[in-house]
Amino acid sequence: MAIISDDNQLGLGIKNKNPIIKAETIEYDNTFENSIRPKDFDSYIGQSALKETLKITLEAAKKRGKPLDHLLFYGPPGLGKTTIAGVIASQMGVEIRITSAPALERPRDIIGILMSLKGGEILFIDEIHRLNKVAEEILYPAMEDFTLDMTTGKSQTAKTLRIPLPKFTLIGATTKAGELSSPLRDRFGIIHRLEFYTIEELAQVVKRTAKILELEITEEGAEAIARRSRGTPRIANRLVKRVSDFAIVKYDGIIDKKVANESLDILKIDEFGLDTTDRALLNLIINKYDGGPVGIETIAAALSEDVRTIEDVCEPYLLQAGLLQRTPRGRKVSPEGYRHLGISMPSAQTKLFEDYL
Ligand code: ADE
């Protein structure tokens, strides 16, 4: 399976102005993320419920000789939405085209990609919640009837041209399923949420990556990295590389528990996997807003971060780890969040928090 990509998520730093041409001409298969991406269900660790349903769906589609239903994957970034799409493509023996909604700015961007698809191929659209209205309207008949409805002429003389498209499968990925319009959401046959990974699963990801990169790592070293990876394999893989730099330069090259923990301490990633921004966020709410509630815009402005980064990158894990709480009036630091930072929670605050719960 060749991954033909036109976005820069694979770490290439290319901002593509013309996704159609780039999608046709560039094959990216040698980046770090790609080189360690699993290509089949056996080497894809975690998300076991998703894997089990997908295996059945794929087998049924193969037996029927029909393309797969359109699929929507949602969940926080880094949990393997692109990766599982790649696994599906390789298991079906078809090509995958990878793009993202912000690259489909003009109608001709999406039309060009749809018209260049071949039967059975997979079109992967990342950040699909950011698709504009025009692109969405083009996708509806494409998804439903495999046609492109083009209007020519103006008002009274306008004619609709129906151009048949090959049968393809759309895989959409989003961090914000709630922001998808319902007509678009309803056109996906399968909608699945990706879950954060357990420490054990992340330790397996770490060991697998270390093996591919020919790094020496102990069980305890892998677990130490896993513990600080915020339930996210993309972070685990990034930390393997960072820690291996330390192991080579400052130690004897072997990643054991001590090397992993000392390196991650230097990188200011704490035992919960929180980095300086996460801790700054919790500290800000505690010190400036008495623990909250405080609005997301205020938090973002005070940290000089954009709201999207806070919402998509920092918050999901802080919420899942129970350090932060989302309330109708804004964000609040939980008693666990206070404890994690070693700050005692004012007792009135504890009471209010418990009342709220
Ligand atoms: N690398 C990134 N995600 C992975 C996963 N789920 N399994 C194995 N390796 C991975």
Side-chain angles (χ1 to χ4, degrees):
M1 176 216 39
I3 294 178
I4 305 170
S5 169
D6 68 280
D7 76 358
N8 66 358
Q9 192 205 325
L10 308 177
L12 291 146
I14 296 170
K15 192 78 209 146
N16 201 333
K17 282 265 179 279
N18 189 338
I20 304 158
I21 294 171
K22 290 271 168 54
E24 296 285 70
T25 54
I26 297 183
E27 287 202 11
Y28 302 142
D29 242 342
N30 52 1
T31 60
F32 169 59
E33 258 196 86
N34 265 344
S35 66
I36 56 169
R37 267 186 213 281
K39 304 279 186 286
D40 53 43
F41 285 118
D42 287 341
S43 45
Y44 186 97
I45 296 152
Q47 311 296 345
S48 46
L50 172 61
K51 281 200 301 189
E52 288 320 304
T53 34
L54 280 179
K55 280 183 196 165
I56 307 242
T57 310
L58 261 64
E59 207 176 316
K62 276 188 192 163
K63 282 195 172 153
R64 286 194 194 104
K66 294 221 168 114
L68 276 178
D69 267 357
H70 305 301
L71 295 124
L72 178 68
F73 295 138
Y74 69 99
L79 298 190
K81 296 185 279 290
T82 315
T83 308
I84 197 87
V87 169
I88 293 171
S90 86
Q91 298 291 288
M92 292 295 288
V94 297
E95 299 278 310
I96 179 166
R97 304 287 189 91
I98 300 178
T99 188
S100 75
L104 305 172
E105 213 179 302
R106 302 157 304 180
R108 69 173 141 124
D109 296 329
I110 181 82
I111 291 172
I113 290 192
L114 289 171
M115 290 191 62
S116 68
L117 289 172
K118 296 187 192 79
E121 276 187 358
I122 291 176
L123 172 60
F124 179 86
I125 305 183
D126 203 6
E127 295 191 74
I128 196 158
H129 62 280
R130 294 176 67 187
L131 214 57
N132 63 46
K133 205 78 224 124
V134 179
E136 254 192 41
E137 302 267 341
I138 294 169
L139 266 185
Y140 296 156
M143 290 173 77
E144 214 158 334
D145 308 317
F146 303 106
T147 58
L148 253 182
D149 290 350
M150 311 262 265
T151 312
T152 56
K154 287 201 179 124
S155 51
Q156 273 126 349
T157 57
K159 277 198 194 118
T160 307
L161 213 64
R162 300 206 99 188
I163 303 170
L165 291 171
K167 293 201 167 62
F168 68 99
T169 298
L170 176 67
I171 302 186
T174 177
T175 50
K176 295 203 165 102
E179 286 187 16
L180 239 69
S181 70
S182 31
L184 181 57
R185 202 170 42 233
D186 291 348
R187 282 171 171 82
F188 287 97
I190 299 167
I191 301 182
H192 213 289
R193 184 188 137 98
L194 274 82
E195 306 291 345
F196 281 111
Y197 288 59
T198 63
I199 308 282
E200 293 73 32
E201 288 166 347
L202 287 173
Q204 283 184 55
V205 170
V206 167
K207 283 187 280 179
R208 178 179 177 274
T209 302
K211 195 168 171 204
I212 295 170
L213 299 178
E214 296 179 6
L215 304 169
E216 251 190 278
I217 190 162
T218 65
E219 286 289 335
E220 294 77 20
E223 191 191 311
I225 296 179
R227 286 193 178 281
R228 301 196 196 197
S229 298
R230 315 165 59 107
T232 309
R234 185 185 292 159
I235 296 181
N237 286 333
R238 210 183 288 151
L239 295 184
V240 171
K241 274 195 97 178
R242 294 284 70 78
V243 171
S244 85
D245 293 345
F246 280 87
I248 289 162
V249 175
K250 291 184 61 129
Y251 304 92
D252 60 1
I254 300 167
I255 304 173
D256 59 16
K257 185 174 174 180
K258 176 173 173 285
V259 171
N261 283 335
E262 286 184 7
S263 311
L264 294 168
D265 285 343
I266 296 171
L267 292 167
K268 300 210 179 325
I269 294 164
D270 69 23
E271 319 83 68
F272 256 66
L274 307 197
D275 62 17
T276 33
T277 310
D278 302 314
R279 285 191 300 272
L281 187 151
L282 296 175
N283 272 311
L284 174 87
I285 302 178
I286 291 175
N287 296 327
K288 288 254 167 70
Y289 302 97
D290 296 329
V294 56
I296 187 81
E297 282 84 9
T298 310
I299 297 172
L303 294 175
S304 306
E305 287 283 356
D306 66 61
V307 171
R308 193 173 278 153
T309 307
I310 303 281
E311 276 184 338
D312 292 357
V313 182
C314 301
E315 267 195 358
Y317 183 70
L318 294 174
L319 292 167
Q320 127 99 19
L323 303 175
L324 191 70
Q325 188 88 35
R326 205 183 262 162
T327 79
R329 290 190 297 132
R331 275 61 170 176
K332 273 178 91 112
V333 176
S334 69
E336 186 59 46
Y338 273 82
R339 219 170 297 133
H340 180 68
L341 294 179
I343 302 172
S344 54
M345 194 173 195
S347 47
Q349 187 84 355
T350 315
K351 165 110 189 44
L352 268 176
F353 200 91
E354 281 164 3
D355 287 349
Y356 171 76
L357 292 178

